[in-house]
Amino acid sequence: MSLAQEMFAIAPATGKADLSASQLKLLSGKARWIFRVSEAGFPTIPTIAITRAAWEALQAQRVKKDPRLRTHWVSCLFRLVDKEGKPPALVVRTSASRHNGGLMPARIGIPPPTNEADSVDPARPLARAIKDAFDSYGYEAGLWTGTRSAEERARQIVLVQAMAEGDIEQFLTRDAVTGAPGPAPANAAGVPKLPESCGALVSLLDAKAGRHMICVVAVSGGEARFLSARPLQASIAAELEAAVDRVGAGVWTRQNAVNRTDPARLAQLLHPRLTSINGAPPIATGLGVSPGAASGFIAFTAEDAARMRARGKHCILVVTETGPGDVEGMKAATGILTARGGMTSHAGVIARITGKPCVAGVRNLSVNPLEMSCQIGDKEFRSGDRLTIDGSDGSVYAGMLPLSQPHIGGALGTLLDWSDASRTIAVRTNVETVESAQTALSFGAEGIGLARSEHMFFSPERMVALRRLILSEDENDRTRALEGLVDYQTGDYAALFAVMRGMPVTVRLFDPPLHEFLPRSEEDVEDTAASLGLAVRALRLRLERIAEVNPMLGHRGVRLAITYPEILQMQIQALMAGARAASETQREPVLLEVMVPFVSTASEVAFVRERVMAIAGNSGLLRSDRARLSFGTMIELPRACLRAGDIAQMVDFFSFGTNDLTQTTFGISRDDAPTFLASYQRKAIYERDPFVTIDEKGVGEMISIAIARGKAANPRLKIGICGEHAGDPASLAYFAGLGVDYVSCSPYRVPIARLTLAQASA
Amino acid sequence: MSLAQEMFAIAPATGKADLSASQLKLLSGKARWIFRVSEAGFPTIPTIAITRAAWEALQAQRVKKDPRLRTHWVSCLFRLVDKEGKPPALVVRTSASRHNGGLMPARIGIPPPTNEADSVDPARPLARAIKDAFDSYGYEAGLWTGTRSAEERARQIVLVQAMAEGDIEQFLTRDAVTGAPGPAPANAAGVPKLPESCGALVSLLDAKAGRHMICVVAVSGGEARFLSARPLQASIAAELEAAVDRVGAGVWTRQNAVNRTDPARLAQLLHPRLTSINGAPPIATGLGVSPGAASGFIAFTAEDAARMRARGKHCILVVTETGPGDVEGMKAATGILTARGGMTSHAGVIARITGKPCVAGVRNLSVNPLEMSCQIGDKEFRSGDRLTIDGSDGSVYAGMLPLSQPHIGGALGTLLDWSDASRTIAVRTNVETVESAQTALSFGAEGIGLARSEHMFFSPERMVALRRLILSEDENDRTRALEGLVDYQTGDYAALFAVMRGMPVTVRLFDPPLHEFLPRSEEDVEDTAASLGLAVRALRLRLERIAEVNPMLGHRGVRLAITYPEILQMQIQALMAGARAASETQREPVLLEVMVPFVSTASEVAFVRERVMAIAGNSGLLRSDRARLSFGTMIELPRACLRAGDIAQMVDFFSFGTNDLTQTTFGISRDDAPTFLASYQRKAIYERDPFVTIDEKGVGEMISIAIARGKAANPRLKIGICGEHAGDPASLAYFAGLGVDYVSCSPYRVPIARLTLAQASA
C-alpha cells in the first residue's frame, strides 16, 4: 500500500467509502464504527482518516517542497465537502485502539484550509491539531515487549471530520445494568429525545460490535447523523443478559454467546455482593483475601460465632489473627476480619477454602477479646454491633449493608447450559464438606477432584486427635491417637458420597503441612499440652523436634504413608466403611478414587498401592458392584513428571497439583515469594505471576512430558488438574490443549471453568 | 552344558584339569584360585567341584534309581585318588562368591565312600556334608532385586578335596600394612616356616588376583601343596603400595593400577587419622559429621581458640552448639566438638566447608562456658585439658593421641600422577579462602569451580556488616552497610587470584541462605542489636519480618541481585578491583568466572549479565589482556534445565548445582529428609541416598536435558558440576558420561575425583 492510500475517506460527504483490505485493517478505535455505520447506509458525519506514516511523509515532502502527497491529502479533504460545495468547519479526533488518558480531546471548529499549503502547514490550525493528536498517542511502553513497535506507531490514525450541525446527543446501545436494548441513558440526564431512526442505529451497532456501546449522534431537523461510538465496559450481569438477548434475536449463535463472554469476569457474580454502597464510606480498608461480601454481628471468639450461628444469626469473626484453633469459628462465621496477615495467612487460606469472605491485615483494627471489644480507627465496636466487609476489595463498613446472594440462574444459567453443549473436559471441584459440595453442585460441578482428607480434622475434638497423631513419639502413641478417628471419618465420607450421588469422588491421602496444624502462640501451646495430657515443656520439646526448616519439602504426602503405615491403614478403612455405608442407602454407585500425594518415585506408589488394595480387598467393597475403587496419584514434583512412565503403570489416573509443581519447578516457596515477586514483575523478569497463571514454558513442559510418558505406558490413564490454576481462564485454555480429561477447582470457580473449557473445546 | 559336566575336577590328583568355557564360569570363590594355582603347575591338593543343579539332579535320580549321573559323580570322585590308588579321606568346603557368616566351616576327615550308592546317600557322611554345605548358602535376599535368582542358586558350587597331609599353614601374599611382597604374617603368630617354593606361589597368586590374598598351604616333607586362598581387604595405603609395586614388576600397566583402585577408599588417606588407639576406649561417642581426627587443648570460646592458635597450639572448640558467631573460632580451632546437632547442623556444615574434623551431638557432654569447664559422662574437663576427636567415627578420647597427617606422596602421588595421564575432565575445587585453596592445590586441583562469595563474611566485623545488609529496611540502610565491604573483599579476591596463578576462579554471586547468618539465641540477638545500634525489640521485629517459611525456596540467589542491585554492584566492583590488583603483581592472567546462582528464567540471567558487563566495562579490567572475564550461571532448578536453550545464549558456562537440583527435583529438603530417609532406605523405596549419589533417572535426566539444550543453543558452552555429588565416585562416573568439561568438589575430594575421572575416561 502506498502512503497515498493511507489518507482516505471512511464516511465521505457523498457516495460510499470503498476501502481496500489494507485500509480496512487501519481502522482502529472510533474509525471502525464510523465506517461500519456509514457503510450500512445510516447518515454519518463526513470523516476522513490519515496514518502517522502518511502524515510524517506529507510533512517531509512539505519541507522538500514536493507536492505529490499533498495533492492526495487535499483531494481527501474534499471528500468532507457536501453537494453544496461549501467546505465545512473541521473537527480533529484521535482514534486510538486502546483508551489512554493522555489522548487529545476532540478539537472542534477548525477553519477549513484556505489553500493547499495551508492544509499541511503546522503553523495553521488543521495541521497543528493533527500533529497534536498524533503526539498525544505518546510512547506508552508495552509492559513486556519494551516500547510499542515502530510499525504499530506508523499505523496509528487520526480522524478529520466535518463539524456537525445541531444538538450532539449521547446514549447507550443497551442498558448498563439490565442489558436491555436501548437507546438507554448514558448518564444521569437520561435518554435524550432522539429521532425514530436511532432505534435502527442501536440495532446496527449492537449487532456489529456485540457489546455495549456509547453512541454519539448529531440531531438536527429531526434527523440524526452518526458522529462516533466507543465501547462501554458494562457489568458482567448486563453483558450476559445482552448476550442471551442477541441469541434470542438471531444476531448471535449460542456458541457466539459462549465464546464472547470473558470467563474471568464471571467471578464477580459468584459471591455475595454489596448491592449498593449508598455513599457510606468504608470505615477501614485492609486486604481482600477471600472474595465476596458479608454482613453480620461481631463475634470475637469461635464460641461466640458458633452460638450466633446456632441462633441463625450471621456474624463476622473479628480477631487479631487466626490459627488452627479458630477454624471452627471461621466455619461458623459468615465472614472474617483480621488485624494481621496477608494473602497467604492462615485466615486467607482457610477463608478461601471454606468460601468465606475475608478482609485481612486491617492496620487500624485492634482487638481486645477479653473485653469483647475492638477499635477500628477511632470507633469502638462491641459484641452485638454490626459490620459489613467486602473481601473483594478489602473494605469494612459499619452496620449491615444489603447484599445480593449468588446463584446460577437467568442469563448466567442459560449461558452455562449452552457452554456445556460444546465442552468436552469435565469440571470437578475441590471440597471436603457436604456444604461445599452442595454449593459446587449448584454451580455445575461434575464430581470431586480433590478432597483433602486432613481437612476432615478441622474441629476442636478432632484437632486434638490429629495433634496427638502428629506429635506421637512411637507407634503406641499413634495407635492411641488413631482410635476413634476411623469412626469420625466414616460418617463424613458416607455423607460426602451420598451428596455426590454417582459422581466420582477423589480423596487425597493425608498430606498435612504439619506446621499448619500445630499450636503456635504461648496460650495455644498451653491449651494443647492440657488437652494432650502433656507437660508444657514436654510438648515444646516435641514441637522443636518436629519443626522443619523447609516444611514444604519435608515430611509430608506419601512420605507419611510410608513412614507411618498405620495412618494409611486408618484412612483406607474409613474410606471403605464410608463407601459401604453410602452404597447401602442409595441406588447410584459410589465412585471412590484414592489419590496419593507428593510422590517422586514409582516405588512409593507401588508401596501404597499394595497396601490400599490389600485393605480394600478385605473390606468387602470390591466384591460389591455398587462401589468402584480407582487408584491414582498426584503429579506435583518434577521427578514424578520425568518418571511418569513407571508411575502410570501402577495407577488409573494422574492429577496434576500445579501449585506444588510450580513451587518446585521454579524453586519458589509461594509463602515467601511476595518479598521479591513484586520487584520481579516491576522489572519485567516475570510476565505473569506463575502462581496465578500456569507457566507454559517450564511447568507446562513438565506437565506435557508427564502426560506423554504416562499415556505411552498406560493408554487408559485418566488425566486431571487440581491445582489453583484449574480456576484461572488462561491456564484452563492451556490445559485444554494438553488433552486432559478433567479439571478440579474451588466451588466458586466451577462456572468459570465450565465457560472457559467450552470456549477451548469449540 | 549337561548336568554331567557340572561335576568336574579343578585340581585332579594326576594330570591337568581341562575345563570348558562354561565350567570356567562356574569357578566362584576359592575354586577359582585352586584351579589357577594348579593350572600354573604348583602342587595343589586334589579338588573337585559340583554345582547345586547337578547335586539336586543326582539326588532326584537316586530316588528314581536312575544311575546315569551317579556314574559321572563316581568317576569325578576318582580324580581325587593319586597314583598309588588309595582313596583319600575327604574334605567338603563351601566356595561362595560372596563371604557370608552362615557358611558351613570345612568338614574334614570324611571317609571315602565305600560303594557307588554310598557316594550319593544323604545318610552317609560325604553326601550329608555336601547337602549341609549347599544348605548353608541360604536364601540371602538381594537388597533391591528380591531373593537371589534361581539361576544364580543353581550355579552355586561345593568343593570336595582330598584330605591334606602335614601342617596347615596360613600367610598373606603381601604385608597388610605396607603392601610389601610376602609371604607376610596373616596373624599375630607371624610368618610360618615355609618351603622356598612358597615365594613362587606368592608371586603367582598376586599376579593372578591383583590384590592381597590369605593363602593356605599344607606343608609336608619340605614340600608345600596349595590348599585354598581368599582375598583380604587390606588398608588402602597397603593396596596403593602393592599396586605401584605390581606396575614396577611389570605385572600391571599403569592404567591397570589406576583402574583397579577404589576411589571411594582414598578418602581414608586424605584426613589426619589416629595412628593407633592402643586400646584406650573412647570416653564418649557422637556423630562424626566432618571426617578426620584432631587433637588439642580444649577451648570454650572463639577468643580462646584464636588465642591458642596465635600461640601455635592446636585446640578443640567445645561448645553446646555453634552459630554464626562461632565461625571464626571454628576456623582457629583444629577440631570441633558439640553437644547438640547432626549432619546438617551449623557445626557440621561449616566444619566440612573448612575441612575441620567435627564430632557433633555428643549426648553426655554438657558445657559450662562461664566456668570454662565441661562434663563428658562423669569426667570433668577444664580449659587447658586435652582431647582427641575422630570425626570419621564420632569417637572422643581423653588426652592427645598420635595422628598421621595426610599428604599426597609416595604410592598415592604416583597413582594420581598416572591417573592424570588418562583423565580428560578437569578437577576444580570448592573453596573461598587462601588456606583451603592451598590445600586443594596440593591435592591437584586445577582451578576453583565454586567460591561462595557470602563466605567471605565469616569474621566478626564483617558479619556485622553482612547482618546490617540482610536486616536493612531500605536502600539507605543497605548503602551504609555496603560501605567498606568492597575494600574487605578486594583484598580477599586479590589473594585468592594470586594463589591460583593463572587457573580459573569461579565466584558465585551472593547466595545467602539468610537464616544461617542471623542471630538465633537470646544472647546472640542482644549482641547483634548492640553491634547494629538497634533496640532489641526493633531487631526482633526485623528478624520476624524476614523470617521465611521455606528459606530454601525463598529470597535468595539471583533474586537478591535483582531486588537489591546495589549488592550486585558492590560484589562486581570488589571482584574487578581484586582481579586488577592480582594481575598487576603476577605474570599469569587472572581467569575470573562470575556465576549467578539459583536462576529459573533467562530474563534473570539477562538482567544480571547486563549489569555485570556494564560494571566490568567501566572497571578497566576488560581492556587489560591480563585478566579475562567469563560469565555463567548455576543450573540448579528444574525450570533452568528446561529453559537451558534460552539461558545458554547469554552465558559462557553452566555449572550444575546438584544439591539444590536434587532438592527441587525430588521435592525434598535435605535438612528435613532425615526424618524419613532412613525409613525409605529400610523399605527399599530409594536404592541410594540421592544426596550422596546422583539420581540418574530423575536428576540425571534433568542435567542431560539441560546439557543437550544448552549446547544446541551455544556450542561453545562449558559444562561443570559443583554440587557435593562431584566428590562421589559413582556420581562422577555418571557425570563423565554426560560430557562435562570439569567438576568441582571440596579439597579433600579432589584426589578421589582425579582417580574416578581417570577410570571413566579410560
Side-chain angles (χ1 to χ4, degrees), chain B residues 589-645:
Chain B
V590 171
L591 301 188
L592 168 59
E593 307 189 331
V594 169
M595 181 159 75
V596 191
F598 221 62
V599 305
S600 58
T601 69
S603 51
E604 291 168 319
V605 180
F607 182 99
V608 176
R609 180 191 172 86
E610 191 183 308
R611 275 148 192 81
V612 168
M613 292 308 169
I615 302 168
N618 290 332
S619 72
L621 182 73
L622 294 179
R623 282 191 292 278
S624 151
D625 56 359
R626 302 278 294 285
R628 291 206 300 271
L629 175 65
S630 159
F631 179 83
T633 181
M634 298 278 289
I635 299 286
E636 50 192 337
L637 291 171
R639 197 178 189 282
C641 293
L642 295 178
R643 305 312 304 165

Side-chain angles (χ1 to χ4, degrees), chain A residues 26-255:
Chain A
L26 293 172
L27 297 177
S28 53
K30 304 175 191 103
R32 184 184 172 83
W33 310 117
I34 295 171
F35 170 72
R36 286 290 184 81
V37 168
S38 164
E39 184 192 36
F42 193 89
T44 303
I45 300 293
T47 310
I48 64 171
I50 182 168
T51 67
R52 183 193 292 272
W55 179 253
E56 287 174 354
L58 198 57
Q59 289 300 320
Q61 289 192 1
R62 182 182 65 81
V63 173
K64 289 195 255 165
K65 311 215 189 288
D66 177 342
R68 283 174 296 171
L69 280 175
R70 194 178 65 191
T71 308
H72 288 286
W73 177 235
V74 170
S75 70
C76 202
L77 285 170
F78 268 103
R79 310 264 337 242
L80 301 177
V81 179
D82 67 16
K83 277 179 255 173
E84 290 160 33
K86 182 170 172 254
L90 300 176
V91 176
V92 171
R93 292 183 190 276
T94 57
S95 186
S97 54
R98 280 168 286 195
H99 193 68
N100 177 337
L103 291 176
M104 182 186 85
R107 198 164 295 172
I108 62 175
I110 297 172
T114 49
N115 56 47
E116 296 207 355
D118 189 9
S119 75
V120 294
D121 182 351
R124 307 290 305 155
L126 174 63
R128 191 166 65 232
I130 294 173
K131 178 179 181 301
D132 290 350
F134 277 122
D135 288 352
S136 79
Y137 285 125
Y139 280 90
E140 180 204 346
L143 192 49
W144 313 116
T145 52
T147 52
R148 180 180 289 175
S149 75
E151 198 188 339
E152 200 184 333
R153 274 177 65 79
R155 296 167 58 84
Q156 290 169 336
I157 57 173
V158 160
L159 305 183
V160 181
Q161 282 189 313
M163 179 97 171
E165 284 164 23
D167 299 325
I168 306 297
E169 303 287 3
Q170 269 197 16
F171 57 90
L172 301 187
T173 53
R174 285 183 177 273
D175 187 276
V177 174
T178 66
N187 47 45
V191 182
K193 221 175 143 61
L194 294 170
E196 191 84 347
S197 65
C198 283
L201 176 59
V202 160
S203 304
L204 173 67
L205 261 178
D206 188 62
K208 297 277 184 201
R211 54 187 305 189
H212 282 60
M213 298 292 285
I214 301 176
C215 187
V216 185
V217 293
V219 179
S220 161
E223 202 205 350
R225 298 175 83 196
F226 180 68
L227 203 123
S228 86
R230 60 183 171 85
L232 171 85
Q233 181 70 286
S235 76
I236 178 70
E239 285 195 1
L240 288 174
E241 294 291 344
V244 170
D245 184 59
R246 282 184 204 113
V247 174
V251 173
W252 277 0
T253 63
R254 291 177 171 189
Q255 191 65 46

Side-chain angles (χ1 to χ4, degrees), chain A residues 440-677:
Chain A
L441 286 171
S442 80
F443 287 169
E446 298 162 312
I448 294 177
L450 176 63
R452 291 151 288 206
S453 57
E454 64 275 10
H455 286 210
M456 300 236 164
F457 296 90
F458 282 160
S459 79
E461 69 273 26
R462 297 188 198 182
M463 186 67 88
V464 171
L466 186 64
R467 286 177 172 178
R468 194 189 299 279
L469 186 67
I470 295 172
L471 295 165
S472 64
E473 294 271 87
D474 55 35
E475 210 177 312
N476 279 346
D477 264 22
R478 279 198 294 280
T479 308
R480 236 173 312 140
L482 291 168
E483 273 168 25
L485 285 183
V486 169
D487 294 341
Y488 279 137
Q489 292 177 86
T490 300
D492 286 349
Y493 286 126
L496 204 56
F497 297 138
V499 78
M500 296 304 294
R501 297 199 169 272
M503 294 182 183
V505 175
T506 309
V507 176
R508 185 181 70 184
L509 296 176
F510 213 53
D511 181 17
L514 294 176
H515 64 287
E516 276 188 22
F517 292 82
L518 293 174
R520 269 171 294 188
S521 71
E522 295 291 310
E523 198 188 329
D524 208 3
V525 168
E526 282 163 27
D527 288 356
T528 305
S531 67
L532 293 179
L534 276 176
V536 171
R537 196 156 155 272
L539 174 59
R540 262 192 224 294
L541 272 177
R542 290 198 192 180
L543 286 174
E544 238 173 63
R545 200 151 45 229
I546 64 167
E548 296 191 305
V549 181
N550 299 292
M552 194 260 141
L553 305 176
H555 191 187
R556 53 172 288 208
V558 69
R559 296 163 195 171
L560 282 163
I562 289 172
T563 49
Y564 302 153
E566 59 277 15
I567 296 181
L568 175 61
Q569 167 103 12
M570 172 274 285
Q571 287 212 277
I572 303 300
Q573 280 177 344
L575 277 168
M576 295 299 138
R580 209 166 42 229
S583 70
E584 278 164 9
T585 61
Q586 67 183 38
R587 260 207 334 273
E588 299 86 350
V590 171
L591 301 188
L592 168 59
E593 308 190 329
V594 169
M595 182 160 76
V596 191
F598 221 63
V599 305
S600 58
T601 70
S603 50
E604 292 168 319
V605 181
F607 182 97
V608 176
R609 180 190 173 85
E610 191 183 307
R611 275 150 191 82
V612 168
M613 291 309 169
I615 301 166
N618 289 332
S619 72
L621 181 73
L622 295 179
R623 281 192 294 279
S624 150
D625 56 358
R626 302 279 294 286
R628 291 206 302 272
L629 175 65
S630 158
F631 179 83
T633 181
M634 299 277 290
I635 299 286
E636 51 191 336
L637 291 171
R639 196 177 188 283
C641 293
L642 295 178
R643 306 311 304 165
D646 304 344
I647 295 171
Q649 295 170 35
M650 279 175 289
V651 296
D652 304 309
F653 65 91
F654 280 178
S655 183
F656 288 90
T658 53
N659 304 346
D660 278 341
L661 190 56
T662 300
Q663 295 198 85
T664 47
T665 301
F666 273 92
I668 294 180
S669 156
R670 193 163 44 147
D671 286 333
D672 302 312
T675 52
F676 59 90
L677 268 191

Side-chain angles (χ1 to χ4, degrees), chain A residues 515 545 547-556 558-565 598-601 603-604 607 637-640 642-643 646 663-673 675-676 679-680 683-686 695-699 701-702 705 709, chain B residues 515 545 547-556 558-565 598-601 603-604 607 637-640 642-643 646 663-673 675-676 679-680 683-686 695-699 701-702 705 709:
Chain A
H515 64 287
R545 200 151 45 229
E548 296 191 305
V549 181
N550 299 292
M552 194 260 141
L553 305 176
H555 191 187
R556 53 172 288 208
V558 69
R559 296 163 195 171
L560 282 163
I562 289 172
T563 49
Y564 302 153
F598 221 63
V599 305
S600 58
T601 70
S603 50
E604 292 168 319
F607 182 97
L637 291 171
R639 196 177 188 283
L642 295 178
R643 306 311 304 165
D646 304 344
Q663 295 198 85
T664 47
T665 301
F666 273 92
I668 294 180
S669 156
R670 193 163 44 147
D671 286 333
D672 302 312
T675 52
F676 59 90
S679 181
Y680 261 50
K683 294 183 181 173
I685 303 290
Y686 284 168
D695 160 53
E696 298 180 14
K697 288 181 170 182
V699 182
E701 185 180 2
M702 276 288 167
I705 289 173
R709 294 183 182 185
Chain B
H515 63 288
R545 201 155 41 232
E548 295 191 304
V549 181
N550 298 291
M552 194 260 141
L553 305 176
H555 192 187
R556 52 171 290 207
V558 69
R559 296 164 194 171
L560 283 163
I562 289 172
T563 49
Y564 301 153
F598 221 62
V599 305
S600 58
T601 69
S603 51
E604 291 168 319
F607 182 99
L637 291 171
R639 197 178 189 282
L642 295 178
R643 305 312 304 165
D646 303 343
Q663 295 197 86
T664 46
T665 302
F666 273 92
I668 294 181
S669 155
R670 190 162 49 147
D671 286 333
D672 302 313
T675 53
F676 59 88
S679 181
Y680 261 51
K683 294 183 182 174
I685 303 290
Y686 284 169
D695 160 53
E696 296 180 15
K697 288 181 171 181
V699 182
E701 185 180 1
M702 276 290 166
I705 289 173
R709 295 183 182 185

Side-chain angles (χ1 to χ4, degrees), chain A residues 690-742:
Chain A
F691 292 109
V692 172
T693 298
I694 196 82
D695 160 53
E696 298 180 14
K697 288 181 170 182
V699 182
E701 185 180 2
M702 276 288 167
I703 297 174
S704 303
I705 289 173
I707 293 178
R709 294 183 182 185
K711 289 207 164 176
N714 176 2
R716 295 186 327 186
L717 190 71
K718 266 197 310 184
I719 308 286
I721 304 271
C722 70
E724 284 186 26
H725 297 95
D728 169 65
S731 308
L732 281 163
Y734 177 74
F735 297 143
L738 297 179
V740 307
D741 297 296
Y742 69 91

Side-chain angles (χ1 to χ4, degrees), chain B residues 358-598:
Chain B
C358 177
V359 174
V362 175
R363 302 246 164 191
N364 60 354
L365 162 66
S366 62
V367 184
N368 189 337
L370 293 180
E371 299 190 3
M372 301 287 265
S373 72
C374 69
Q375 192 95 15
I376 302 179
D378 52 6
K379 286 188 192 164
E380 190 178 86
F381 293 84
R382 309 198 66 84
S383 194
D385 289 343
R386 299 169 198 196
L387 284 182
T388 297
I389 62 171
D390 186 343
S392 308
D393 67 3
S395 310
V396 181
Y397 301 90
M400 288 186 51
L401 302 189
L403 304 181
S404 67
Q405 291 300 320
H407 71 109
I408 303 277
L412 175 57
T414 306
L415 190 84
L416 288 174
D417 286 347
W418 291 343
S419 79
D420 288 348
S422 63
R423 182 164 54 87
T424 55
I425 295 169
V427 177
R428 301 195 197 171
T429 189
N430 304 345
V431 301
E432 36 281 322
T433 65
V434 167
E435 295 78 10
S436 309
Q438 279 163 339
T439 304
L441 287 170
S442 80
F443 287 169
E446 298 162 312
I448 294 178
L450 176 63
R452 289 152 289 209
S453 57
E454 64 275 9
H455 287 209
M456 299 234 163
F457 296 90
F458 281 160
S459 78
E461 69 272 26
R462 296 189 198 182
M463 186 67 86
V464 172
L466 186 64
R467 287 178 172 177
R468 194 189 299 278
L469 187 66
I470 295 173
L471 295 165
S472 63
E473 295 271 270
D474 54 35
E475 210 177 309
N476 279 346
D477 263 22
R478 281 197 293 280
T479 308
R480 235 175 311 141
L482 290 168
E483 272 168 25
L485 284 183
V486 169
D487 294 341
Y488 279 137
Q489 293 177 88
T490 301
D492 286 349
Y493 285 126
L496 203 57
F497 296 137
V499 77
M500 295 304 295
R501 296 199 169 270
M503 295 182 184
V505 175
T506 310
V507 177
R508 184 180 70 185
L509 296 176
F510 214 53
D511 181 15
L514 294 176
H515 63 288
E516 277 188 21
F517 292 81
L518 294 174
R520 268 170 295 185
S521 70
E522 295 290 310
E523 198 188 329
D524 209 2
V525 169
E526 283 163 24
D527 288 357
T528 305
S531 67
L532 294 180
L534 275 177
V536 171
R537 194 154 158 275
L539 175 59
R540 261 190 228 294
L541 271 177
R542 290 200 192 179
L543 286 174
E544 238 173 65
R545 201 155 41 232
I546 65 166
E548 295 191 304
V549 181
N550 298 291
M552 194 260 141
L553 305 176
H555 192 187
R556 52 171 290 207
V558 69
R559 296 164 194 171
L560 283 163
I562 289 172
T563 49
Y564 301 153
E566 59 276 17
I567 296 182
L568 175 62
Q569 167 103 13
M570 170 275 286
Q571 286 213 277
I572 302 299
Q573 279 177 344
L575 276 168
M576 295 299 138
R580 207 165 43 230
S583 70
E584 278 163 8
T585 62
Q586 66 183 38
R587 259 208 334 274
E588 299 85 348
V590 171
L591 301 188
L592 168 59
E593 307 189 331
V594 169
M595 181 159 75
V596 191
F598 221 62

Side-chain angles (χ1 to χ4, degrees), chain B residues 111-391:
Chain B
T114 50
N115 57 47
E116 295 207 353
D118 191 6
S119 75
V120 295
D121 182 350
R124 307 291 305 156
L126 174 61
R128 193 167 61 233
I130 293 172
K131 178 179 182 300
D132 290 350
F134 277 122
D135 287 352
S136 78
Y137 285 124
Y139 280 90
E140 181 206 345
L143 192 49
W144 313 116
T145 53
T147 53
R148 182 179 287 175
S149 74
E151 199 188 338
E152 199 184 333
R153 274 177 65 79
R155 295 167 59 86
Q156 291 169 334
I157 58 171
V158 160
L159 305 181
V160 181
Q161 281 189 315
M163 178 95 175
E165 285 165 21
D167 299 327
I168 306 298
E169 303 286 6
Q170 269 198 17
F171 56 90
L172 301 186
T173 54
R174 286 184 177 272
D175 187 275
V177 174
T178 66
N187 48 44
V191 182
K193 219 174 145 62
L194 294 169
E196 193 81 350
S197 67
C198 283
L201 175 60
V202 159
S203 304
L204 173 66
L205 262 178
D206 188 63
K208 297 278 183 201
R211 54 187 302 189
H212 282 59
M213 299 292 283
I214 301 174
C215 186
V216 186
V217 293
V219 178
S220 160
E223 203 205 348
R225 297 174 84 199
F226 180 69
L227 203 121
S228 86
R230 61 184 169 84
L232 171 86
Q233 180 70 286
S235 76
I236 180 68
E239 284 195 2
L240 288 175
E241 293 293 344
V244 171
D245 185 58
R246 281 184 204 113
V247 174
V251 172
W252 276 0
T253 63
R254 290 176 172 190
Q255 192 65 45
N256 287 149
V258 166
N259 289 349
R260 299 190 56 159
T261 304
D262 178 2
R265 298 186 64 218
L266 291 193
Q268 296 167 24
L269 293 177
L270 300 173
H271 292 284
R273 282 165 299 150
L274 290 173
T275 44
S276 69
I277 296 167
N278 285 335
I283 56 169
T285 305
L287 213 55
V289 297
S290 181
S295 269
F297 296 96
I298 296 177
F300 292 106
T301 65
E303 295 74 48
D304 274 7
R307 209 173 306 120
M308 291 199 205
R309 197 197 186 180
R311 293 195 218 129
K313 281 186 184 173
H314 286 286
C315 70
I316 308 292
L317 181 67
V318 178
V319 290
T320 302
E321 61 187 332
T322 68
D326 300 316
V327 173
E328 211 50 24
M330 294 172 75
K331 283 162 83 176
T334 311
I336 297 113
L337 177 63
T338 75
R340 297 209 200 123
M343 200 50 92
T344 58
S345 63
H346 179 269
V349 171
I350 301 298
R352 288 196 298 277
I353 286 170
T354 54
K356 304 286 180 185
C358 177
V359 174
V362 175
R363 302 246 164 191
N364 60 354
L365 162 66
S366 62
V367 184
N368 189 337
L370 293 180
E371 299 190 3
M372 301 287 265
S373 72
C374 69
Q375 192 95 15
I376 302 179
D378 52 6
K379 286 188 192 164
E380 190 178 86
F381 293 84
R382 309 198 66 84
S383 194
D385 289 343
R386 299 169 198 196
L387 284 182
T388 297
I389 62 171
D390 186 343

